[in-house]
Amino acid sequence: MLRRAIRPGLCIVAIAMVWCGLVACSEQFSDAEDALGDTAERIEQGVLPPIVEETEVMLRNFVNFLPVLVEICATPIGELGDFVSQLPELQRAQQQVGDTFTIDDTNGAWQAAWRDVIFGDQDGQLSMAADAPSVDVTVTARFRNAGRGSVRAVPFALPSRGFVQTSRDPGDLFTCTETTPEGFYLSQDRTTGVWTLGWCAQGTDKVFQGEINTIGLTRISRKASSETAEEVASLTVNSSSTMLEFEETAAPLVAEGIRFFVRPGEFIDFELRMGPAGSDPVSITREALRIGADEAFLPSNFNPADFQLVTAVPIVPTGQPDFALLDDVATFVWQDDVSGPCTDAGETLWRVRFRSAASATFAGSVSLADDDVANRRLRVFRVGRCQQGRLEFEDDNERFLYECAVGDAADHGYDVCVRGARRLQFSPQVQDVRDPTRVWIGGENHRPSSQDPFSMFFDLEMEERQSARNLELTNGRIILLSTTQDGGTVRLREDQISLEALCRPLDDRPAHVRLIGEGEYATERFEGSRYDFDELEFTDALRTGDVSARRLPNRGELELRTRDESDTVEITVPAAEFADIQGRVTGSLDIKLILDTLELEFFDRTINLSLE
């Protein structure tokens, strides 16, 4: 194993390359020991220098681009069009194509490109040598398909109030003491909407088992809170992030649990079981599950072992929004406490209002989002100058379609009376655009939410300019992973984009990002090489715009594989050994040469010698 130090510059990753010129000892030796004794020196002098040189160039460029991927991950999808990197290399790039991303209407991918960039210096490329190899970079971001409903913010669904009270104050952490009743505890952080499902055993060890199904699960944690060290090792998520499963044995008085996020307004199905350790768990009773801050039992019409919930948390749909928030044009939606025109038994009143500083056309629909509730009904009353609209049925659900032209600050919109449905779906448009920035919900002025975050797939192309080596990195796939790497792509439409950041962390901490990826690397010397980085994690201190040692990873490895026919050069870069020294990042290379055949020529014979 041969070890060399390199200076890649401001981040980390792994690559691969190929070595084309293995040693063929053609000099004539009178003594075989002289030839063999000279082999290590020849490898040291003839093989390692070009490997280290080209490795340093590619690591300096490719590794230092990684912080951009994290910046993208921490940027709301709806703001990618105005994305500006904090890396000085990109801010000072010559002949820059631009930071802004453009969307591909055919597949929903986002793409940005920079030309003639030199990475690897704290002061940016202007301080680098004039002949330093630069690169052209193109990055394309795609998204794992967890269902269109988990990507878009509009349309959105809101449940009726008073369904089941699940919210809990952020500081009210789940605990398990001698006075805590045995069983499950389910609640939501009222400020973030993150769910906590915890459990507590008394007396003897107990096994707790569960399955959670919904349209999309994100912000998943094996811990019941950020304050605990207890982790649920058995927690798994399926490839589409729609189902969580666990089976965990808990000791008495030990608080365990999991956390996750689901888009407000989406149904969540729970199946919960428990029993003595070593036995098959059985369906829980009503007394074995407590909900929300009051730790109340489920309503009597619910099966505690197999039930379904839907909430608006952290959105509060009740109360009239503040119309003074209007900047240009907006739709306001809220559930009213008064009955108004909704005089029939069992009806609740929803109000939809339109405001515009200039003439604008509001259109869209309001529909019943449940297809399993009997006696559902919508009644709609127009307000102001809005037209009557029309009711239609689709998939056995009633839907109201409207179009209303507004040109003043008067009261225009609709009053919607709902009976029998647990939630309502809204799909507002302004000037034929579905834009979540133009929608306000409830008296606390919430915006519609989408699922977040979800895995991002990056296709990266990097080609070196001004160099005879013609270094080229193509076909690279990098995955910023939140839960699972499986899945395909999902098309995004600009009128349905999310306002949420893709890498929103739990507990209001800085983004914590894992990278899993592989790709190909080629030069004029080396062909067929590849790079891998496995479970590479950035530090908890990572923050957008922080160009320092905090951008370095704290776990994972970078592997570079270089091949010439059957011969191999393997380079491993331990991420934990990257260090910031006087503004530059230094890392070590472990280089392993595997020579399949080394041919030694002597006066009277040829000897084939395998060596590793």
Side-chain angles (χ1 to χ4, degrees):
M1 185 76 74
L2 301 170
R3 193 169 180 81
R4 285 291 181 273
I6 61 166
R7 295 180 177 275
L10 271 160
C11 202
I12 31 307
V13 123
I15 342 175
M17 57 197 79
V18 149
W19 164 57
C20 256
L22 259 185
V23 175
C25 300
S26 58
E27 295 186 23
Q28 296 176 333
F29 298 100
S30 58
D31 189 270
E33 291 184 1
D34 292 339
L36 294 175
D38 195 47
T39 300
E41 182 178 350
R42 288 173 176 270
I43 291 175
E44 181 83 17
Q45 296 177 356
V47 175
L48 289 184
I51 293 176
V52 172
E53 180 184 12
E54 296 195 9
T55 300
E56 180 175 357
V57 172
M58 278 310 299
L59 280 178
R60 175 173 57 80
N61 285 301
F62 182 40
V63 165
N64 284 288
F65 184 74
L66 283 185
V68 177
L69 304 183
V70 182
E71 289 179 323
I72 294 170
C73 187
T75 301
I77 303 176
E79 297 177 5
L80 280 178
D82 299 318
F83 174 79
V84 176
S85 172
Q86 298 298 311
L87 289 186
E89 295 95 327
L90 293 183
Q91 291 187 341
R92 304 175 186 181
Q94 300 170 3
Q95 299 175 310
Q96 181 175 325
V97 177
D99 281 332
T100 57
F101 277 75
T102 57
I103 189 170
D104 186 336
D105 289 332
T106 62
N107 60 16
W110 295 80
Q111 187 174 89
W114 296 268
R115 186 175 62 178
D116 201 19
V117 184
I118 299 177
F119 290 99
D121 190 87
Q122 189 78 303
D123 297 324
Q125 70 180 46
L126 297 183
S127 66
M128 301 290 285
D131 59 350
S134 64
V135 292
D136 291 345
V137 182
T138 300
V139 60
T140 304
R142 298 184 177 88
F143 307 93
R144 178 179 52 78
N145 186 1
R148 293 179 61 86
S150 65
V151 177
R152 63 194 182 194
V154 178
F156 57 92
L158 294 172
S160 298
R161 65 181 184 276
F163 186 48
V164 173
Q165 300 302 316
T166 61
S167 60
R168 196 169 190 152
D169 290 333
D172 187 9
L173 301 180
F174 169 64
T175 59
C176 180
T177 68
E178 293 180 351
T179 60
T180 304
E182 185 172 78
F184 286 95
Y185 291 78
L186 180 64
S187 63
Q188 277 184 283
D189 186 312
R190 69 173 73 252
T191 61
T192 65
V194 171
W195 291 82
T196 298
L197 176 62
W199 47 86
C200 177
Q202 295 289 353
T204 60
D205 291 358
K206 301 295 190 306
V207 59
F208 295 86
Q209 185 185 78
E211 180 179 310
I212 302 169
N213 288 273
T214 186
I215 191 172
L217 293 147
T218 57
R219 304 190 224 172
I220 300 168
S221 173
R222 298 181 185 274
K223 296 182 177 182
S225 76
S226 59
E227 308 299 326
T228 182
E230 301 295 332
E231 293 190 354
V232 179
S234 62
L235 180 66
T236 61
V237 59
N238 65 346
S239 61
S240 59
S241 289
T242 58
M243 181 174 68
L244 292 176
E245 292 182 293
F246 63 88
E247 182 172 331
E248 200 77 4
T249 299
L253 308 182
V254 177
E256 293 186 0
I258 61 174
R259 287 177 293 166
F260 57 91
F261 177 79
V262 176
R263 183 189 184 190
E266 301 294 348
F267 284 120
I268 311 174
D269 294 305
F270 296 86
E271 294 184 27
L272 302 176
R273 294 169 288 276
M274 61 178 289
S279 66
D280 292 331
V282 298
S283 298
I284 63 172
T285 63
R286 188 169 309 282
E287 293 73 22
L289 173 64
R290 289 165 171 80
I291 308 290
D294 296 333
E295 298 184 356
F297 298 142
L298 279 174
S300 59
N301 59 330
F302 281 75
N303 176 3
D306 188 354
F307 60 96
Q308 185 181 75
L309 293 180
V310 57
T311 77
V313 180
I315 296 174
V316 180
T318 55
Q320 178 175 306
D322 184 0
F323 293 157
L325 292 174
L326 173 66
D327 294 324
D328 178 23
V329 59
T331 299
F332 297 86
V333 176
W334 73 98
Q335 188 175 35
D336 210 323
D337 292 325
V338 302
S339 59
C342 304
T343 55
D344 290 356
E347 286 186 326
T348 58
L349 172 61
W350 289 84
R351 299 191 189 271
V352 181
R353 293 294 185 269
F354 312 123
R355 292 289 191 276
S356 179
S359 179
T361 299
F362 295 81
S365 64
V366 180
S367 58
L368 300 175
D370 302 324
D371 56 8
D372 59 349
V373 178
N375 301 317
R376 304 180 309 276
R377 190 183 71 177
L378 282 180
R379 290 198 304 143
V380 182
F381 301 87
R382 66 185 182 92
V383 178
R385 297 178 181 175
C386 290
Q387 295 80 10
Q388 186 62 46
R390 72 178 189 275
L391 288 170
E392 64 178 29
F393 287 88
E394 181 178 305
D395 298 329
D396 294 328
N397 276 329
E398 199 167 12
R399 181 170 65 170
F400 171 70
L401 291 91
Y402 63 84
E403 183 173 311
C404 182
V406 173
D408 55 46
D411 199 27
H412 305 291
Y414 297 93
D415 288 339
V416 182
C417 300
V418 184
R419 186 184 69 185
R422 288 188 287 172
R423 58 181 188 156
L424 214 57
Q425 186 176 77
F426 299 86
S427 183
Q429 301 180 33
V430 181
Q431 300 294 93
D432 296 324
V433 174
R434 294 188 182 99
D435 185 349
T437 65
R438 295 181 173 181
V439 180
W440 298 97
I441 303 171
E444 296 184 4
N445 302 304
H446 287 275
R447 292 275 179 74
S449 175
S450 70
Q451 202 66 258
D452 69 308
F454 40 84
S455 300
M456 294 185 70
F457 296 89
F458 290 92
D459 294 329
L460 181 64
E461 295 183 8
M462 184 179 292
E463 183 174 357
E464 184 185 349
R465 302 162 59 93
Q466 309 156 331
S467 172
R469 285 188 295 271
N470 188 30
L471 302 174
E472 185 175 356
L473 174 74
T474 58
N475 300 323
R477 167 162 283 192
I478 301 168
I479 304 170
L480 270 73
L481 193 63
S482 64
T483 52
T484 175
Q485 64 182 1
D486 297 333
T489 60
V490 61
R491 178 174 177 177
L492 292 177
R493 288 171 48 187
E494 287 184 295
D495 62 355
Q496 293 178 323
I497 55 181
S498 169
L499 294 174
E500 308 292 346
L502 300 176
C503 295
R504 170 180 291 185
L506 284 166
D507 308 316
D508 196 30
R509 291 184 174 183
H512 189 84
V513 180
R514 286 191 295 152
L515 295 176
I516 294 179
E518 60 184 22
E520 297 177 356
Y521 171 77
T523 74
E524 289 184 350
R525 291 172 53 94
F526 302 149
E527 296 291 339
S529 302
R530 55 183 296 104
Y531 69 85
D532 271 297
F533 47 99
D534 180 31
E535 298 289 346
L536 195 67
E537 294 192 12
F538 287 89
T539 63
D540 284 324
L542 175 68
R543 292 184 184 274
T544 301
D546 183 8
V547 186
S548 71
R550 298 184 201 178
R551 287 187 173 275
L552 301 180
N554 55 7
R555 295 179 60 184
E557 284 192 343
L558 318 179
E559 295 184 358
L560 305 98
R561 296 187 180 90
T562 264
R563 294 186 180 277
D564 176 62
E565 297 179 350
S566 59
D567 301 314
T568 302
V569 177
E570 293 185 356
I571 304 174
T572 302
V573 185
E577 295 188 16
F578 277 88
D580 188 350
I581 300 178
Q582 295 181 344
R584 293 185 62 84
V585 175
T586 298
S588 298
L589 292 181
D590 287 335
I591 301 177
K592 182 179 181 181
L593 298 175
I594 303 174
L595 311 184
D596 183 68
T597 301
L598 178 64
E599 185 177 283
L600 304 176
E601 295 184 5
F602 296 91
F603 284 116
D604 56 348
R605 65 189 184 281
T606 297
I607 300 176
N608 291 327
L609 175 68
S610 295
L611 107 96
E612 180 173 335

